[in-house]
Amino acid sequence: MPQHYQITTFGCQMNKADSERMAGILDSLGYLATEDPLAADLVVFNTCSIRDGAEQKLYSYLGIHAHRKHQNPALTLVVAGCVAQQEGTKLLRRVPEVDLVMGPQHVDQLSTLLERVADGEQVVATDPREIPEDLIQPRRQNDLSAWVNVIYGCNERCTYCIVPYTRGVEQSRTPEAIYQEVLNLSERGYKEITLLGQNIDAYGRDIGSNLASLLRTVHAAPGLERIRFATSHPRYFTEELIATCAELPKVCNHFHIPFQSGDNQVLSRMARGYSHQRYRTIIDTVRSHIPDAAISGDAIVGFPGETEEQFLNTVQLVEDLQFEAVNTAAYSPRPGTPAAHWPDQISEQDKMDRLQRLNRAVDNSARICSQRYLGRVEEVLIEAPNPKDSTQVMGRTRSNRLVFCPGDITHLRGQTVSVRITAARSFSLTGALLPVPAR
Ligand code: SAH
Ligand code: SF4
Ligand code: F3S
């Protein structure tokens, strides 16, 4: 009887990329994928710990399977990702039915870890570890656009953030290994890649290279149309990098550069290493090299000690800089991070109130940004049918805006087409397909 697996993924693109690698390993072991967790013999939760509540959510999901396991002892329960790394053996104490707890640095070891489970062991794999190159073929969710890890871990110590504790120290993959992966993807028909790192501008520091040079390397892969990268830390976003992006035609004009706050005192308490003036200068420099650049970011409201005035400085930054999108979050204390222990925590009510007000500013800014697309002809890579209207297809502009237009997906999927934009909303556009091919 073939065994079935099911993976539930929370969190960022890195976690999604890790899940694709775990799925690839399970495929190679002869498991079959299923969508239904209750029909699976092996259940994986790839968890995220960036905000509070993640652990609770996980425990409630695990409850159902722990119950199932009493009826079916052959069921294998795996907790991977950032909560796994954070909780370690605590997880086993809390849910003794779990077979394997594995941190993000152990993804490539899944097969060996499962062998130990099959031998009757309950395994916790959370030791810090250097991640070697491997031959895993990820089972990718998308056959046009792929994620490519370029740097693991994070050496920053932002005072609110759990990531350095869950993903370990920075470790860059070699440009050669990355190029091989990208070449393989482009040969298989992929049109777009997104280079991934928690702090991607730090790429290469440990191996005598840098992101600008890596972009030049992957740019040479034939067939590839679009190169993206995320996430950028303002501290390392250099003019050399900006100039390289402007020069290389495949590098898309979208930059995700979290700012977190528009107030210098808050930024300093967050240990971000830049001022709001410096952030503004970076965005000005991006726009002077790439006038149509789309900028998005992340922001936190209600960081410990944040005053109303300091919060308004964040709103001001959003109003001044015109972001295409901002992921906003209310500050959430994370175990083991410095800010979680500070006495001047902001009340939930104030956090929610600030979040709503910031979201209104973000929405406004996104709507204004959208207006500039009206009447323009945009190059759109068609990815899928519009899930809400099957007579339409959807894709993205180079600036990462979602676009809908009438069309037949069977002919258009994977095509890069020209679309004249006829309607603009805050976070998406509608248009009409033009007969001229974009490429
Ligand atoms: N490496 C990236 C982002 C990592 S986490 C960077 O440096 O910006 C993704 C986003 O989650 C962060 O940008 C931040 O806005 C948010 N985040 C991280 N820790 C948080 C916390 N404790 N509470 C609320 N939001 C948080
Ligand atoms: Fe977290 Fe800061 Fe590292 Fe980003 S740079 S992952 S916010 S510690
Ligand atoms: Fe979450 Fe870990 Fe990513 S905490 S955001 S899954 S690095």
Side-chain angles (χ1 to χ4, degrees):
M1 274 286 280
Q3 301 268 297
H4 289 82
Y5 73 90
Q6 191 269 338
I7 304 180
T8 305
T9 310
F10 304 95
C12 62
Q13 293 164 321
M14 292 199 123
N15 247 23
K16 292 182 180 137
D18 285 347
S19 285
E20 293 186 344
R21 281 161 58 72
M22 289 193 280
I25 295 172
L26 293 170
D27 287 347
S28 72
L29 292 175
Y31 283 88
L32 300 178
T34 169
E35 301 278 304
D36 177 7
L38 298 178
D41 310 281
L42 186 143
V43 176
V44 182
F45 288 99
N46 194 11
T47 57
C48 168
S49 179
I50 204 78
R51 286 181 221 163
D52 202 14
E55 302 92 299
Q56 290 332 348
K57 206 159 50 170
L58 170 69
Y59 288 127
S60 81
Y61 288 121
L62 280 175
I64 310 162
H65 296 286
H67 184 72
R68 269 179 75 209
K69 186 147 177 163
H70 291 286
Q71 273 117 43
N72 171 17
L75 174 66
T76 305
L77 280 183
V78 180
V79 180
C82 291
V83 178
Q85 183 67 35
Q86 174 197 307
E87 298 290 290
T89 42
K90 261 194 277 171
L91 239 154
L92 289 188
R93 256 180 266 140
R94 187 115 182 226
V95 189
E97 289 83 358
V98 169
D99 297 285
L100 169 60
V101 177
M102 53 185 284
Q105 293 174 39
H106 294 260
V107 163
D108 61 302
Q109 294 294 92
L110 179 60
S111 155
T112 324
L113 297 169
L114 285 174
E115 273 171 34
R116 287 169 55 191
V117 170
D119 287 342
E121 210 184 321
Q122 224 177 358
V123 184
V124 176
T126 51
D127 297 341
R129 158 168 195 274
E130 210 171 293
I131 302 169
E133 283 302 323
D134 56 55
L135 298 171
I136 298 166
Q137 281 293 337
R139 177 196 184 90
R140 300 193 191 260
Q141 294 287 322
N142 186 314
D143 60 5
L144 294 173
S145 175
W147 290 308
V148 177
N149 268 322
V150 305
I151 176 169
Y152 305 109
C154 177
N155 286 5
E156 298 299 304
R157 285 288 179 276
C158 303
T159 50
Y160 51 83
C161 184
I162 191 105
V163 172
Y165 307 90
T166 63
R167 292 215 171 240
V169 294
E170 285 169 8
Q171 184 198 329
S172 302
R173 294 177 65 200
T174 63
E176 295 77 24
I178 296 164
Y179 184 70
Q180 273 314 313
E181 182 172 349
V182 171
L183 191 62
N184 181 271
L185 288 164
S186 68
E187 283 168 359
R188 285 162 50 209
Y190 279 82
K191 299 279 163 55
E192 176 178 287
I193 54 158
T194 303
L195 306 178
L196 290 185
Q198 275 302 346
N199 179 2
I200 198 161
D201 318 77
Y203 173 78
R205 278 199 288 200
D206 50 336
I207 55 167
S209 181
N210 64 37
L211 183 58
S213 143
L214 179 69
L215 286 173
R216 287 184 196 284
T217 303
V218 297
H219 199 268
L224 208 61
E225 290 178 13
R226 294 177 169 189
I227 301 171
R228 305 184 186 279
F229 57 91
T231 297
S232 297
H233 192 301
R235 178 150 46 176
Y236 306 102
F237 209 83
T238 60
E239 185 152 12
E240 184 204 356
L241 175 63
I242 298 169
T244 306
C245 295
E247 180 198 319
L248 298 175
K250 294 177 189 171
V251 176
C252 291
N253 58 337
H254 169 230
F255 303 95
H256 185 70
I257 318 176
F259 50 92
Q260 313 302 2
S261 168
D263 183 86
N264 287 350
Q265 261 173 324
V266 175
L267 285 169
S268 150
R269 284 154 51 82
M270 287 176 162
R272 290 289 290 177
Y274 54 87
S275 61
H276 79 89
Q277 291 90 346
R278 170 87 188 109
Y279 186 87
R280 287 167 192 262
T281 306
I282 293 168
I283 304 306
D284 287 347
T285 312
V286 172
R287 287 180 169 149
S288 72
H289 284 266
I290 307 166
D292 195 38
I295 312 288
S296 61
D298 295 351
I300 297 175
V301 301
F303 185 72
E306 184 190 66
T307 63
E308 170 68 14
E309 197 188 344
Q310 291 171 338
F311 161 72
L312 289 175
N313 285 334
T314 301
V315 175
Q316 188 68 52
L317 186 89
V318 168
E319 285 172 354
D320 292 345
L321 290 187
Q322 300 296 319
F323 291 92
E324 303 268 322
V326 180
N327 303 321
T328 57
Y331 168 73
S332 170
R334 307 309 297 127
T337 60
H341 306 288
W342 293 348
D344 43 1
Q345 302 288 324
I346 306 298
S347 75
E348 282 308 308
Q349 197 186 343
D350 282 348
K351 282 194 230 174
M352 287 309 130
D353 172 62
R354 288 177 194 175
L355 189 60
Q356 274 182 8
R357 285 188 284 155
L358 183 61
N359 283 342
R360 273 201 291 276
V362 168
D363 206 77
N364 222 2
S365 159
R367 197 169 33 244
I368 296 168
C369 277
S370 269
Q371 295 308 311
R372 76 175 194 284
Y373 292 100
L374 269 179
R376 264 172 38 173
V377 175
E378 284 288 315
E379 179 197 305
V380 179
L381 172 59
I382 302 295
E383 295 169 15
N386 177 351
K388 292 192 186 138
D389 179 350
S390 60
T391 66
Q392 291 193 348
V393 293
M394 67 179 192
R396 287 180 183 273
T397 62
R398 299 180 63 81
S399 63
N400 211 28
R401 272 288 154 131
L402 197 57
V403 179
F404 301 102
C405 63
D408 178 358
I409 193 64
T410 46
H411 296 120
L412 291 172
R413 191 156 188 287
Q415 304 283 325
T416 302
V417 296
S418 298
V419 175
R420 184 177 299 284
I421 305 302
T422 52
R425 295 163 299 275
S426 296
F427 298 105
S428 63
L429 308 168
T430 302
L433 205 63
L434 298 184
V436 282
R439 275 171 189 275

